Amino acid sequence: MATRSTIMDTNSFRAEHADGLDADVRKLTDKRSKVLGESYRLFYRKPVHLVRGEGQYLWDAAGDKYLDVYNNVASIGHCHPAVIEAVHQQMGMLNTHTRYLHENILNYSEDLLSTLPDEIDRAMYMCTGSEANDLAIRVARSFSGGTGIIVSQEAYHGTSDLTSGASPALGSGQSLAATTRLVLPPDRYRVDAPDLGAWFAAQIQQQIDDMAAHGIKFAGFLADSIFSSDGVLPGPKGYLQQAIDVVHKNGGIFIADEVQPGFARTGDAFWGFARHDVVPDIVTTGKPMGNGIPVSALLAKSDVLAAFSDEIPYFNTFGGNPVAMAAAQAVLKVIKEEGLQEHSRIVGGKLLAELTKLMDKYECIGDVRGAGLFIGFELVKDRASKTPDKQLALDVIEKLRDNHVLTSVAGPYGNVLKLRPPLAFQESDIDWLVGALDKSLASLVG
């Protein structure tokens, strides 16, 4: 029997759901099974056939409107006119690779690096977060002379050979690299420790020691600073510093995977890691950077990058192309001009407060936590035991879909609703989301 992975199969359509579909949807799902590889997955027992998007909203083929509470690909909103115009103009002039001179990549690099700590002063470009993390691991190994990479227990960092070997969220069907070690996530809800930072730092040191005992030299710690795949764990501000000190003391580097918490998402800072006043050695990003145009980046301290770049030429045919850079520049400009970081902080705070109020009504809500427009909503069988309720979470997801709200789940138990809308999400959307959650829970638990 095939192994079902955590992030791909938890909230997915399966063959046994097909009989309940209407004719048009069934025709499309049957066609997908014939022409696409079996690795692909669809969301929901009753898949959604989307045809249009605008801002935080999506429409299906029947004309029904949905609230998107999951998509950080269209980070500043679906079909943002600024991105459309920038891509259209540049596509009409030139699109080629980076072995010719072009202003777009240079201007954007200066603007992007200005959002980072001064120590991070070099940029390289790819198309996907997987590619960025793959390169980051290679750089970490060149700099440290080691091979060992530490990630959190439910981390997801990509689909390449290197990154899938450091992505336990892909499930037991995907083998981890022999040089990968896992640490328990810094989960304040489930970890009973007086000092979460000291506890987490000790987890890191323990795995470094285990590597040494097996003849593996430590290279680096790769983490998404909100630990989104582990269940959205913002943690207290600043707690990560002790762990990063341990990483550096042992000759490794810290790679901040900002594909999910970056680009104003958490509200408190432009970058997720900045909430903790730490300075990474490498920063990687992807999806939200181009608002749907494939573009990603590796941003690094020059001395760390030099260990790799002084020895090995790097070329990525589409990475940093003029059209991708135009899209990325437009996204950065919109975030600044529309004040989306502050917007995320304010609207996210109001959403968190309204979601927390539901705890007074439903005992099955164990915890509500987040930063900005990135919130984890954890469902349990009872608060005393904190026993995860995965089935309830999956049923809630389906009920939300029926109420035209789209999201999914995260965490090792699949019981945390991952609420991560485009930054176009407005205060006026809160009632729709919270009302749909209230209605969904009421129908399932009374």
Side-chain angles (χ1 to χ4, degrees):
M1 187 173 68
T3 302
R4 283 178 174 164
S5 67
T6 303
I7 63 170
M8 292 298 290
D9 273 315
T10 302
N11 170 31
S12 64
F13 169 76
R14 300 201 244 296
E16 59 262 34
H17 303 140
D19 289 342
L21 303 180
D22 65 46
D24 288 340
V25 173
R26 177 66 182 269
K27 183 178 179 180
L28 287 175
T29 59
D30 287 349
K31 192 171 186 177
R32 274 178 63 105
S33 69
K34 291 177 181 177
V35 301
L36 299 181
E38 293 303 315
S39 290
Y40 284 102
R41 299 291 187 273
L42 284 161
F43 278 138
Y44 301 109
R45 298 164 196 164
K46 182 183 177 184
V48 185
H49 178 195
L50 297 174
V51 296
R52 185 167 71 89
E54 182 180 334
Q56 65 276 39
Y57 305 121
L58 294 161
W59 284 263
D60 68 14
D64 292 326
K65 181 180 179 181
Y66 293 79
L67 176 63
D68 185 353
V69 191
Y70 190 66
N71 202 327
N72 79 322
V73 178
S75 149
I76 59 173
H78 294 279
C79 301
H80 197 291
V83 179
I84 294 171
E85 180 62 20
V87 168
H88 176 72
Q89 284 191 7
Q90 186 57 53
M91 187 67 81
M93 293 187 290
L94 174 72
N95 197 30
T96 187
H97 53 71
T98 55
R99 297 192 71 179
Y100 302 105
L101 288 171
H102 199 275
E103 293 86 354
N104 282 12
I105 191 171
L106 303 177
N107 294 339
Y108 178 71
S109 295
E110 289 180 337
D111 287 348
L112 185 62
L113 288 169
S114 74
T115 69
L116 289 150
D118 291 342
E119 298 94 324
I120 299 172
D121 57 357
R122 295 290 187 272
M124 296 179 71
Y125 296 97
M126 308 88 215
C127 302
T128 67
S130 296
E131 289 178 295
N133 283 329
D134 187 286
L135 182 58
I137 292 172
R138 293 174 66 190
V139 173
R141 290 175 169 175
S142 294
F143 179 79
S144 66
T147 57
I149 299 294
I150 294 175
V151 297
S152 59
Q153 196 171 45
E154 194 66 19
Y156 172 69
H157 295 296
T159 57
S160 70
D161 185 53
L162 278 181
T163 57
S164 60
S167 294
L170 291 173
S172 57
Q174 168 64 54
S175 299
L176 294 178
T179 51
T180 297
R181 293 293 183 274
L182 308 183
V183 287
L184 292 171
D187 184 350
R188 271 203 298 187
Y189 179 57
R190 296 183 178 278
V191 172
D192 183 16
D195 184 336
L196 188 66
W199 175 88
F200 192 55
Q203 298 290 311
I204 299 285
Q205 186 64 61
Q206 181 180 333
Q207 293 308 315
I208 294 172
D209 293 344
D210 181 74
M211 285 181 181
H214 289 84
I216 299 168
K217 186 176 181 181
F218 175 54
F221 171 49
L222 170 58
D224 152 7
S225 61
I226 203 165
F227 296 89
S228 48
S229 294
D230 291 282
V232 187
L233 309 173
K237 292 181 183 179
Y239 83 96
L240 277 179
Q241 184 62 62
Q242 294 178 72
I244 306 313
D245 289 344
V246 166
V247 168
H248 288 153
K249 183 182 73 175
N250 286 274
I253 67 168
F254 171 44
I255 304 165
D257 181 341
E258 290 286 320
V259 171
Q260 298 200 55
F263 286 89
R265 167 64 55 185
T266 63
D268 294 318
F270 189 87
W271 299 102
F273 67 80
R275 294 182 65 246
H276 301 291
D277 293 323
V278 297
V279 178
D281 301 288
I282 294 175
V283 175
T284 58
T285 187
K287 287 189 274 278
M289 192 173 166
N291 212 58
I293 296 296
V295 57
S296 65
L298 178 148
L299 310 155
K301 295 177 179 177
S302 54
D303 61 322
V304 171
L305 186 59
F308 175 87
S309 60
D310 286 0
E311 299 296 328
I312 303 174
Y314 181 82
F315 177 63
N316 186 309
T317 302
F318 297 108
N321 71 72
V323 169
M325 293 291 93
Q329 187 77 70
V331 169
L332 197 57
K333 185 178 180 183
V334 166
I335 290 173
K336 293 176 179 177
E337 291 184 349
E338 296 186 7
L340 292 184
Q341 181 183 319
E342 182 67 359
H343 170 82
S344 181
R345 186 185 70 80
I346 292 172
V347 175
K350 290 179 179 179
L351 174 59
L352 185 67
E354 291 301 314
L355 291 168
T356 302
K357 289 178 183 178
L358 290 177
M359 295 182 75
D360 295 333
K361 191 172 180 180
Y362 300 103
E363 181 70 19
C364 62
I365 304 172
D367 192 34
V368 183
R369 53 187 178 256
L373 285 170
F374 208 149
I375 295 173
F377 189 87
E378 181 153 358
L379 296 171
V380 295
K381 293 186 183 294
D382 66 86
R383 289 184 190 163
S385 69
K386 300 183 181 180
T387 303
D389 198 334
K390 176 179 179 179
Q391 190 57 53
L392 176 60
L394 294 178
D395 290 342
V396 168
I397 291 296
E398 297 294 335
K399 290 289 184 181
L400 285 172
R401 178 249 184 272
D402 292 342
N403 286 293
H404 294 172
V405 173
L406 304 178
T407 193
S408 193
V409 292
Y413 314 108
N415 69 313
V416 179
L417 273 60
K418 186 177 181 180
L419 307 177
R420 184 195 53 183
L423 300 184
F425 184 93
Q426 299 296 320
E427 187 174 344
S428 56
D429 296 311
I430 293 175
D431 283 348
W432 186 353
L433 171 55
V434 177
L437 258 173
D438 190 1
K439 184 177 179 181
S440 300
L441 287 166
S443 68
L444 292 166
V445 299

